[in-house]
Amino acid sequence: MRTAILTDTNSGISLEKAEELGIFIIPMPVVIGEDTYLEYKSITHDDLYRAMRRHLDISSSQPSPGFVTDLWSSILASGYDEIVYIPMSSGLSGSCHNAAALAEDYGGRVYVADNHRISVTLETSVLDAKYMADCGLTGREIKDRLERHAYDASIYISVDSLEYLKKGGRITPAAAAFATVINLKPVLTIQGDKLDSFAKMRGMKLCEKKMIEALQNDIRTRFSDIPHGQLVVATAGTFENPADAKSWRQAVQDAFPDYDIRYSPLSCSIACHTGINAAGAGVVRVEKR
């Protein structure tokens, strides 16, 4: 059996990286004004951040059903027996449920795994899936294992500006205005299905400290039964200045000296909701190598 692994750019995996890893990737659509762009194909992070500085109307979108099924058919026609598709969490988008419905027409050759992740935790799932495929597991076995361990992950994210959370309806204009006046920043969390409020702090530095404390607590409690070697701690963000991204990664590295901390830019479709200069971090269980 040849099993292809497919995800979308919400994983933070670029088209070039996907080719290097031997996986397939769907570029997520980003809408600016009346124009639609595809991540890593017709829009970059810098393009998006410039549009945000101009306060343009920006939103994310789902890949079209035709695009998804054409890609599936192309992958299967190229010699693969089956596909494991790992989109972003069903709790954050309807794309997972839509894909599962489309897969019913493929006679059991396309498995849509909903393991409730996004960004750095979704990337880990994709790498795990590729490892399992290389080890000879079937698409059904990979899907089942990913979903069985779906909730072995935590994400925390803090946003510097409330503009796009307000535009997306996640916070009221009045609450956004009040928080801006007193420099109150939200810390949000994803513990599986959806984005929830976790804390509110005065300024980004305190938010970063709070996120580090939350990760440390998760490792001590929720993930206490998972061996150290099967946990990954990673950072992400939408920093305009590379030095700020480096500083955030280093702060987390200093707090977790026994882990090799990496940094990845949040995908453009996630950045549509977080705005510029957001900081995020996560801890996730990885497949035993």
Side-chain angles (χ1 to χ4, degrees):
M1 295 285 288
R2 291 191 68 205
T3 303
I5 305 301
L6 170 67
T7 188
D8 59 52
T9 51
N10 281 307
S11 63
I13 300 174
S14 68
L15 304 185
E16 292 77 14
K17 185 66 174 179
E19 184 175 0
E20 178 185 323
L21 293 170
I23 65 172
F24 297 88
I25 197 97
I26 291 178
M28 293 298 290
V30 172
V31 182
I32 301 178
E34 297 182 354
D35 298 319
T36 300
Y37 303 88
L38 295 179
E39 185 164 15
Y40 293 116
K41 279 185 171 287
S42 53
I43 190 171
T44 66
H45 286 86
D46 288 342
D47 295 332
L48 179 63
Y49 298 164
R50 281 193 293 270
M52 287 182 165
R53 283 297 179 198
R54 295 171 58 196
H55 304 284
L56 300 179
D57 289 332
I58 297 171
S59 62
S60 59
S61 183
Q62 297 181 28
S64 71
F67 184 96
V68 173
T69 55
D70 285 349
L71 180 56
W72 289 351
S73 297
S74 174
I75 292 171
L76 294 172
S78 71
Y80 285 92
D81 300 296
E82 55 184 7
I83 298 168
V84 177
Y85 178 35
I86 317 168
M88 66 184 291
S89 171
S90 62
L92 298 170
S93 169
S95 60
C96 185
H97 289 312
N98 292 340
L102 294 172
E104 294 177 2
D105 293 332
Y106 280 77
R109 299 183 70 190
V110 176
Y111 296 90
V112 180
D114 183 10
N115 74 331
H116 305 283
R117 297 184 184 180
I118 195 169
S119 185
V120 293
T121 58
L122 177 57
E123 178 185 13
T124 298
S125 300
V126 174
L127 297 178
D128 282 349
K130 183 65 169 70
Y131 171 74
M132 288 186 276
D134 290 344
C135 288
L137 274 69
T138 66
R140 167 58 66 184
E141 290 170 331
I142 294 170
K143 169 183 162 68
D144 289 347
R145 189 172 297 189
L146 289 176
E147 293 182 343
R148 186 162 63 248
H149 295 290
Y151 295 102
D152 292 341
S154 288
I155 285 180
Y156 299 92
I157 184 167
S158 184
V159 302
D160 186 50
S161 168
L162 299 175
E163 177 179 358
Y164 286 94
L165 287 179
K166 180 180 68 175
K167 287 183 175 180
R170 294 188 180 275
I171 186 171
T172 66
F178 176 74
T180 300
V181 168
I182 63 173
N183 196 30
L184 198 64
K185 311 290 186 183
V187 178
L188 308 171
T189 186
I190 301 174
Q191 303 287 335
D193 285 322
K194 59 182 180 178
L195 190 68
D196 290 311
S197 177
F198 179 73
K200 297 180 181 67
M201 311 299 292
R202 289 283 185 89
M204 287 297 289
K205 288 300 180 184
L206 288 179
C207 286
E208 291 176 359
K209 180 181 178 183
K210 189 69 174 179
M211 289 189 287
I212 288 172
E213 291 173 351
L215 291 175
Q216 291 170 331
N217 183 65
D218 284 343
I219 291 173
R220 285 194 305 267
T221 57
R222 288 183 59 207
F223 306 133
S224 61
D225 60 339
I226 300 176
H228 175 277
Q230 279 188 264
L231 285 177
V232 167
V233 178
T235 59
T238 58
F239 295 104
E240 292 177 286
N241 186 344
D244 292 333
K246 183 178 180 180
S247 176
W248 171 228
R249 189 207 67 79
Q250 189 59 54
V252 178
Q253 182 67 78
D254 291 343
F256 298 92
D258 295 335
Y259 292 85
D260 182 18
I261 308 298
R262 58 186 172 80
Y263 174 85
S264 302
L266 288 172
S267 71
C268 286
S269 53
I270 298 174
C272 289
H273 304 281
T274 65
I276 306 167
N277 295 322
V283 57
V284 57
R285 174 195 177 277
V286 298
E287 192 70 21
K288 187 175 181 180
R289 299 290 191 263

